[in-house]
Amino acid sequence: MIPHPITRRRLLVAGAATAGAALVTGGSGLFAPARAQGVAPTPTMRGGSNNYRPGAPIVDRIGGGGFWMTGRVRRAGDGAPLQGVRIQIWAHTTEGHERDPHSHGATLTGADGVFRLEMPQIVPAFGQPHGHLAYDGDGEPFQTVFLRPVMPRASDTTLHADFVLQPA
Amino acid sequence: MKPAIRAILIWAVLGGAIAVPMAVAMTSPLLAWRDPIYIGAGVAGVVALALILVQPLLAGGYLPGLPLRRGRHVHRWTGSLLVAAVVAHVAGLWLTSPPDVIDALLFTSPTPFSAWGVVAMWALFAAALLAGLRWPLRIRPRFWRLGHSALVAVVVLGSVAHAMLVEGTMGTASKAVLCVLALMATAKALIDLRAWVLVRRLRS
């Protein structure tokens, strides 16, 4: 049996583990008051509603696909996932401008609140590669939210955006 | 250096500084997914940026064959062209996506470069208006010089920030070179003409 002297590496690993544990416990203490207030609703983003088309149909896929828009919809407060929520998605893609009807499509969230819609590749337009998502609260139980997430790189083939909806 | 060689060099550098980013923009893969109006709006923006480099060179009389007096004459025409290019740029974008342009004009756009572009646009219109009204309204030289110089400084700074922050059809490197040259040319012209001096001493 080889003895285990305290080497520099061993000391660093042990130190990092202790620091990590301290961060985790300290962190949870810090965030406890926020959790008590509940999950905050997602605010509408600037320019999010631009070229929105109310009532865009629910589709299996927008155009030829190849790019995935994903996200999760939850309820403000308790953060419960919301099923059957209609989310409209549109963007300037390889197949059309934002204003084109065929650039738009809607999908419904599953039991876990997750939505996933395949669409053509988003390309930079108006200076940024970005997508648009809408939850239209018209006649619905939650308030309207428009999102406009920006892709970190124009070459990305997925974009993710989460909704936390506020009861109307 | 012989004057002829110097002249050829200066024109060649200017031509290259404009032609290279223009060529990059005209062959951008993004064009495949844009309609003609949107493409035209983008080209108008590139033309405007190129003219922003040309304007101080003409105003300062730096271009061979276009000394101060003749340079200033051409400067007025290219200035009008610059205004037209910016109008075409904004109008084309408006037709492509009205709400995005309205957001930009109202300073509520999510993209930071929009505000820089809009500030530069208004400063450009004001600089051009001042030039157009200079003689009809007999604007005093000290006010004219300071006003036009201050406004075009805003035009150049705003346009450079606007262009550098946009992810568009121009190549980053060629765009940066064009912007740096425009900044240098503007700074040189303003310093040489002593734009901050209130009395006009320069006779051409």
Side-chain angles (χ1 to χ4, degrees), chain B residues 157-183:
Chain B
L157 290 172
S159 300
V160 164
H162 176 71
M164 289 313 298
L165 290 171
V166 165
E167 188 168 348
T169 57
M170 294 175 88
T172 309
S174 61
K175 181 163 69 176
V177 169
L178 186 55
C179 286
V180 167
L181 288 175
L183 288 171

Side-chain angles (χ1 to χ4, degrees), chain A residues 45-51 92-99 123-130 132 148 151-154, chain B residues 30 32-35 38 92-101 103 107-114 165-168:
Chain A
M45 291 179 177
R46 275 183 169 195
S49 65
N50 290 357
N51 297 308
H92 185 115
T93 69
T94 52
E95 293 178 18
H97 287 56
E98 277 182 16
R99 63 172 190 274
V123 290
F126 278 73
Q128 286 180 332
H130 67 280
H132 290 267
R148 185 191 173 280
M151 287 147 63
R153 286 167 305 277
Chain B
L30 294 179
W33 310 305
R34 295 183 178 191
D35 70 15
Y38 191 9
L93 293 177
W94 184 299
L95 291 173
T96 303
S97 180
D100 283 317
V101 175
D103 279 353
F107 295 102
T108 55
S109 173
T111 50
F113 54 81
S114 308
L165 290 171
V166 165
E167 188 168 348

Side-chain angles (χ1 to χ4, degrees), chain A residues 118-150:
Chain A
E118 196 179 5
M119 59 189 292
Q121 176 68 40
I122 294 180
V123 290
F126 278 73
Q128 286 180 332
H130 67 280
H132 290 267
L133 302 96
Y135 167 76
D136 193 336
D138 189 27
E140 298 285 327
F142 297 96
Q143 293 173 20
T144 300
V145 175
F146 288 105
L147 301 182
R148 185 191 173 280
V150 177

